[in-house]
Amino acid sequence: QVQLVESGGGLVQAGGSLSLSCAASGRTQYAMGWFRQARGKEREFVAAISWSASNSYYADSVKGRFTISRDNTRNTVYLQMNSLKPEDTAVYYCAASKTAYYHSDYYSDSQYDDWGQGTQVTVSS
Protein backbone atom coordinates (compact mmCIF):
# COMPACT_ATOMS: atom_id res chain seq x y z
CA GLN A 1 0.00 0.00 0.00
CA VAL A 2 1.16 3.50 -0.82
CA GLN A 3 0.60 6.39 1.55
CA LEU A 4 0.01 9.68 -0.27
CA VAL A 5 0.03 13.18 1.21
CA GLU A 6 -0.90 16.20 -0.89
CA SER A 7 0.15 19.76 -0.17
CA GLY A 8 0.21 23.15 -1.86
CA GLY A 9 -3.46 23.97 -2.15
CA GLY A 10 -4.85 27.37 -1.28
CA LEU A 11 -6.68 30.45 -2.46
CA VAL A 12 -5.58 32.24 -5.62
CA GLN A 13 -7.07 34.81 -7.96
CA ALA A 14 -8.09 33.89 -11.46
CA GLY A 15 -5.11 33.90 -13.77
CA GLY A 16 -2.76 32.96 -10.96
CA SER A 17 -0.72 29.83 -10.35
CA LEU A 18 -0.40 27.12 -7.74
CA SER A 19 1.84 24.11 -7.43
CA LEU A 20 0.62 20.94 -5.77
CA SER A 21 2.86 18.22 -4.42
CA CYS A 22 2.11 14.61 -3.54
CA ALA A 23 4.62 12.82 -1.34
CA ALA A 24 4.48 9.04 -1.48
CA SER A 25 5.76 6.50 0.99
CA GLY A 26 5.94 2.79 0.74
CA ARG A 27 6.45 1.14 -2.63
CA THR A 28 6.16 3.97 -5.16
CA GLN A 29 6.93 2.42 -8.54
CA TYR A 30 3.49 3.22 -9.81
CA ALA A 31 1.75 5.40 -12.28
CA MET A 32 0.40 8.50 -10.57
CA GLY A 33 -2.58 10.70 -11.22
CA TRP A 34 -4.35 13.82 -10.07
CA PHE A 35 -8.11 13.98 -9.83
CA ARG A 36 -10.40 16.69 -8.53
CA GLN A 37 -13.88 16.97 -7.15
CA ALA A 38 -15.83 20.18 -7.03
CA ARG A 39 -18.68 20.61 -4.58
CA GLY A 40 -21.76 18.85 -5.83
CA LYS A 41 -19.96 17.24 -8.75
CA GLU A 42 -18.39 13.88 -9.47
CA ARG A 43 -14.67 13.31 -9.21
CA GLU A 44 -12.91 13.93 -12.50
CA PHE A 45 -9.55 13.14 -14.02
CA VAL A 46 -7.03 15.99 -14.23
CA ALA A 47 -3.64 14.56 -15.18
CA ALA A 48 -1.53 11.42 -14.92
CA ILE A 49 2.04 10.32 -15.47
CA SER A 50 3.67 6.97 -16.03
CA TRP A 51 6.28 5.56 -13.63
CA SER A 52 9.13 6.48 -15.94
CA ALA A 53 7.61 9.87 -16.76
CA SER A 54 7.80 8.95 -20.41
CA ASN A 55 4.06 9.47 -20.82
CA SER A 56 1.74 12.09 -19.39
CA TYR A 57 -1.97 12.60 -19.86
CA TYR A 58 -4.28 15.57 -19.37
CA ALA A 59 -7.95 16.35 -19.30
CA ASP A 60 -8.93 18.65 -22.14
CA SER A 61 -10.04 21.27 -19.63
CA VAL A 62 -6.50 21.68 -18.24
CA LYS A 63 -4.35 20.91 -21.27
CA GLY A 64 -1.89 23.71 -21.90
CA ARG A 65 -2.39 25.16 -18.41
CA PHE A 66 -1.41 22.32 -16.06
CA THR A 67 1.80 20.27 -16.05
CA ILE A 68 2.32 17.01 -14.20
CA SER A 69 5.82 15.86 -13.30
CA ARG A 70 7.54 13.52 -10.90
CA ASP A 71 10.81 13.15 -9.08
CA ASN A 72 11.29 9.47 -8.30
CA THR A 73 14.34 10.21 -6.17
CA ARG A 74 12.05 12.16 -3.85
CA ASN A 75 8.97 9.92 -4.34
CA THR A 76 7.02 13.04 -5.19
CA VAL A 77 4.61 13.99 -7.94
CA TYR A 78 3.83 17.58 -8.81
CA LEU A 79 1.02 19.42 -10.51
CA GLN A 80 1.90 22.90 -11.72
CA MET A 81 -1.29 24.84 -12.36
CA ASN A 82 -1.13 28.07 -14.35
CA SER A 83 -3.79 30.42 -15.69
CA LEU A 84 -6.20 29.19 -13.08
CA LYS A 85 -9.91 29.71 -13.57
CA PRO A 86 -12.76 29.76 -11.05
CA GLU A 87 -13.97 26.46 -12.51
CA ASP A 88 -10.70 24.85 -11.35
CA THR A 89 -11.95 25.23 -7.78
CA ALA A 90 -12.10 21.76 -6.22
CA VAL A 91 -10.48 19.35 -3.83
CA TYR A 92 -7.50 17.86 -5.63
CA TYR A 93 -6.53 14.26 -4.95
CA CYS A 94 -3.34 12.41 -5.72
CA ALA A 95 -3.65 8.72 -6.57
CA ALA A 96 -1.37 5.76 -7.34
CA SER A 97 -2.10 3.00 -9.82
CA LYS A 98 -0.54 -0.47 -9.78
CA THR A 99 -2.36 -1.57 -12.91
CA ALA A 100 -2.47 1.29 -15.39
CA TYR A 101 -1.03 0.03 -18.65
CA TYR A 102 -3.04 1.14 -21.67
CA HIS A 103 -3.33 4.85 -22.32
CA SER A 104 -7.03 4.75 -21.49
CA ASP A 105 -6.29 3.26 -18.06
CA TYR A 106 -4.70 6.46 -16.84
CA TYR A 107 -7.95 8.41 -17.21
CA SER A 108 -10.10 6.10 -15.09
CA ASP A 109 -10.26 6.46 -11.32
CA SER A 110 -11.10 2.75 -11.09
CA GLN A 111 -7.50 1.99 -12.07
CA TYR A 112 -6.11 3.78 -9.01
CA ASP A 113 -5.63 1.87 -5.79
CA ASP A 114 -4.38 4.38 -3.26
CA TRP A 115 -5.56 7.93 -2.67
CA GLY A 116 -4.44 10.91 -0.66
CA GLN A 117 -6.67 12.93 1.62
CA GLY A 118 -6.99 15.81 -0.83
CA THR A 119 -6.05 19.47 -0.82
CA GLN A 120 -8.42 22.37 -1.47
CA VAL A 121 -7.80 24.70 -4.38
CA THR A 122 -9.98 27.79 -4.56
CA VAL A 123 -9.80 30.22 -7.47
CA SER A 124 -11.56 33.53 -6.97
CA SER A 125 -12.92 35.58 -9.85
Side-chain angles (χ1 to χ4, degrees):
Q1 187 176 4
V2 180
Q3 291 76 46
L4 303 169
V5 178
E6 303 97 333
S7 60
L11 174 64
V12 65
Q13 288 189 331
S17 298
L18 279 175
S19 181
L20 304 183
S21 298
C22 173
S25 60
R27 185 176 178 182
T28 58
Q29 296 178 335
Y30 298 132
M32 299 294 293
W34 287 96
F35 290 77
R36 67 186 181 188
Q37 187 167 20
R39 185 170 302 197
K41 295 188 177 182
E42 293 187 355
R43 185 168 59 193
E44 65 174 0
F45 170 80
V46 175
I49 190 167
S50 60
W51 154 244
S52 65
S54 58
N55 293 297
S56 57
Y57 308 87
Y58 297 93
D60 288 343
S61 59
V62 307
K63 202 170 292 183
R65 299 189 297 123
F66 291 11
T67 302
I68 189 170
S69 61
R70 67 190 300 162
D71 183 346
N72 288 339
T73 65
R74 297 177 182 270
N75 292 335
T76 302
V77 177
Y78 306 96
L79 185 68
Q80 178 65 42
M81 305 184 295
N82 298 329
S83 302
L84 283 161
K85 305 175 181 179
E87 51 264 44
D88 294 318
T89 295
V91 177
Y92 283 69
Y93 298 92
C94 174
S97 174
K98 303 178 181 65
T99 57
Y101 180 75
Y102 299 104
H103 294 313
S104 58
D105 292 343
Y106 287 83
Y107 296 86
S108 172
D109 60 1
S110 66
Q111 291 289 334
Y112 292 82
D113 310 284
D114 300 295
W115 295 80
Q117 82 289 351
T119 185
Q120 177 71 46
V121 171
T122 303
V123 184
S124 63
S125 57

